[in-house]
């Protein structure tokens, strides 16, 4: 069992009082709160270890470089990647998708080719591929889902053909919470010789991920959603792809030799890391990964799954409340609407009652269209949330329902 009260002491923001009430933070799919080891790492980094990496001969620069590269090795271990060369630091999941859409697209995609995404993708995992399709005159094809929010795997396989260049799919939906069977989907694509990009933004904070066991060609996540700093993310890519792909951005770090006649590029992963990286952020990400692994990814998954079950039971008992996303395999995200009350009003009133949730289309407008709604309320959970917080959410919703 996890001692949640003790864990909560590691997150100073959780004891904030908002509108005279203790904060109930249920917006973890948007961003997670930071534990002391991460906050301290950021503070110490700027206070004691700040010097630019990779180009200094002085003590501080070498120490910063060592810490930054140790963080890369930490991410490699965390994802089970074969080598640190396959770990590219980005600004987040969004930049990782844009990087692959540009660099993979430049190298492998031609007019008339196809690209496959699912109906439940975040805009970050749609728009960069759409832009690629426009640039290259390609066709974007969409994997449909059933009413429970599960992808239709038979339909998926029918979309794969000789012109399919890449499949991009979320490991976990940020709205429905569906955990997609990405291992199986990757195996299917590979039978057709097609590589797969996995958007792992909503998966890595909640479950053990092993990119080699999944056989993913690309896997991306954001540091801020796994208790780490903002503005930082990771792209894992198999070496064979990264080596062949064109660089994404030009600048310092990504070069080998620069001459006006010709420039040659650096080795992996630096070829994809133009400019000064967020080297303080990467060490804080390593601290965040140490933190979650000290709790145990399996224990986190078990605890959050129990909390999800409790929350869904309690919410389902509220008259007029409809939950969107009932997949057999779900992460701790519950999206819903309360009767005819507009989700924006529900969210605003929940806020006044001390409960932070997200409302809107959740950067998934095509999914909203599929669900036949324009928006919903989303409560998303972390291992630091409690049943009492679910009770507070339900009591607040009950009050709102009566108000209307
Ligand atoms: N993909 C999914 C599934 C997400 O939930 C998010 C953020 O909510 C993103 C991608 C984009 O992440 P970021 O804004 O950190 O780049």
């Amino acid at each position: 069992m996890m001692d949640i009260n003790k864990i909560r002491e590691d997150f100073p923001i959780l004891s904030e009082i908002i509108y005279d009430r203790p904060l109930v933070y249920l917006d973890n799919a948007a961003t997670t709160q930071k534990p002391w080891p991460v906050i301290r790492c950021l503070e110490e980094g700027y206070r004691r270890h700040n010097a630019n990496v990779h180009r200094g001969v002085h003590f501080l620069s070498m120490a910063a470089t060592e810490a930054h590269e140790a963080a890369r090795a930490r991410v490699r271990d965390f994802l089970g990647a074969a080598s640190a060369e396959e770990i590219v630091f980005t600004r987040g999941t969004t930049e990782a998708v844009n990087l692959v859409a540009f660099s993979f697209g430049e190298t492998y995609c031609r007019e008339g080719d196809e690209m496959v995404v699912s109906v439940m993708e975040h805009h970050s995992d749609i728009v960069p591929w759409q832009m690629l399709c426009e640039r290259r005159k390609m066709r974007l094809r969409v994997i449909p889902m059933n009413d429970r929010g599960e992808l239709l795997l038979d339909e998926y396989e029918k979309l794969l053909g000789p012109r399919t260049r890449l499949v991009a799919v979320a490991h976990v939906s940020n709205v429905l919470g569906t955990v997609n069977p990405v291992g199986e989907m990757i195996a299917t694509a590979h039978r057709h010789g097609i590589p797969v990009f996995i958007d792992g933004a909503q998966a890595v904070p909640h479950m053990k991920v092993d990119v080699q066991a999944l056989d993913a060609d690309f896997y991306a996540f954001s540091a801020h959603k796994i208790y780490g700093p903002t503005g930082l993310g990771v792209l894992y890519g198999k070496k064979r792809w990264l080596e062949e792909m064109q660089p994404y951005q030009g600048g310092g770090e990504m070069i080998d030799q620069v001459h006006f006649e010709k420039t040659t590029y650096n080795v992996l992963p630096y070829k994809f890391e133009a400019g000064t990286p967020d080297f303080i952020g990467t060490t804080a990400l390593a601290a965040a990964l140490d933190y979650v692994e000290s709790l145990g990814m399996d224990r986190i998954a078990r605890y959050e799954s129990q909390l999800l079950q409790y929350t869904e039971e309690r919410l389902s008992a509220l008259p007029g409340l409809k939950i969107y996303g009932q997949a057999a395999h779900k992460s701790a995200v519950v999206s819903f609407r309360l009767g005819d009350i507009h989700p924006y009003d529900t969210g605003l009133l929940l806020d006044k009652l001390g409960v932070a949730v997200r409302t809107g289309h959740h950067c998934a407008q095509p999914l909203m269209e599929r669900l036949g709604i324009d928006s919903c309320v989303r409560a998303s959970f972390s291992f630091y949330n409690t049943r009492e917080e679910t009770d507070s959410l339900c009591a607040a919703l009950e009050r709102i329902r009566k108000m209307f």
Side-chain angles (χ1 to χ4, degrees), residues 29 92-94 122 124 170 172 174 199 201-202 222 224-225:
T93 305
T94 303
H122 186 282
S124 293
V172 173
N174 65 311
D199 170 352
Q202 299 294 345
S222 299
H224 71 97
K225 293 193 197 282

Side-chain angles (χ1 to χ4, degrees), residues 142-390:
V142 182
I143 313 165
M145 67 176 200
N146 63 24
D147 290 339
R148 289 191 302 280
E150 294 160 329
L151 293 178
L152 300 176
L153 298 185
D154 290 347
E155 297 301 317
Y156 162 58
E157 185 149 16
K158 285 185 209 155
L159 295 175
L160 305 177
R163 300 304 304 262
T164 316
R165 289 291 156 261
L166 191 72
V167 172
V169 67
H171 197 161
V172 173
S173 157
N174 65 311
V175 178
L176 305 169
T178 309
V179 181
N180 287 315
V182 290
E184 195 182 330
M185 294 177 78
I186 291 168
T188 306
H190 286 178
R191 280 200 300 279
H192 294 260
I194 301 162
V196 182
F197 177 101
I198 302 294
D199 170 352
Q202 299 294 345
V204 292
H206 305 290
M207 62 189 72
K208 174 83 195 124
V209 170
D210 183 322
V211 290
Q212 287 195 85
L214 288 175
D215 203 16
D217 297 276
F218 301 97
Y219 196 101
F221 73 90
S222 299
H224 71 97
K225 293 193 197 282
I226 184 163
Y227 312 97
T230 55
L232 177 69
V234 169
L235 169 68
Y236 159 80
K238 279 186 186 164
K239 193 172 166 183
R240 63 165 282 216
W241 298 116
L242 294 181
E243 275 193 328
E244 282 190 15
M245 280 160 53
Q246 295 292 311
Y248 172 50
Q249 293 181 327
E253 299 275 343
M254 55 76 73
I255 52 88
D256 172 30
Q257 292 282 323
V258 179
H259 303 286
F260 281 120
E261 295 71 34
K262 182 174 172 56
T263 289
T264 52
Y265 304 126
N266 205 343
V267 294
L268 292 179
Y270 311 108
K271 181 172 98 177
F272 293 106
E273 295 182 346
T276 299
D278 182 359
F279 51 86
I280 302 281
T282 56
T283 55
L285 169 60
L289 300 183
D290 286 347
Y291 184 85
V292 289
E293 287 202 329
S294 75
L295 298 179
M297 296 312 296
D298 290 340
R299 284 164 80 212
I300 288 174
R302 239 184 349 263
Y303 175 79
E304 289 181 357
S305 159
Q306 287 163 2
L307 192 55
L308 171 69
Q309 196 186 341
Y310 177 74
T311 303
E312 287 195 330
E313 275 167 23
R314 292 264 359 237
L315 285 177
S316 307
L318 288 178
L321 189 137
K322 179 170 164 56
I323 293 178
Y324 295 89
Q326 307 265 285
H329 195 188
K330 249 191 98 166
S331 167
V333 171
V334 190
S335 289
F336 61 88
R337 286 175 69 113
L338 185 57
D340 295 334
I341 308 169
H342 196 280
Y344 184 71
D345 294 330
T346 312
L348 271 183
L349 290 167
L350 281 174
D351 174 56
K352 295 287 177 283
L353 297 167
V355 182
V357 293
R358 186 144 294 238
T359 63
H361 54 59
H362 312 289
C363 296
Q365 279 184 320
L367 173 61
M368 293 295 122
E369 264 171 45
R370 166 64 180 82
L371 296 170
I373 53 179
D374 60 351
S375 61
C376 56
V377 183
R378 178 185 71 187
S380 54
F381 294 78
S382 156
F383 53 75
Y384 48 56
N385 291 122
T386 62
R387 287 182 175 216
E388 289 71 33
E389 288 182 310
T390 289

Side-chain angles (χ1 to χ4, degrees), residues 130-143:
Q130 262 180 337
M131 291 162 73
L132 164 64
C133 288
E134 270 172 35
R135 270 198 314 274
R136 285 286 197 244
K137 300 196 173 55
M138 291 165 60
R139 181 166 172 213
L140 189 71
R141 310 202 65 185
V142 182
I143 313 165

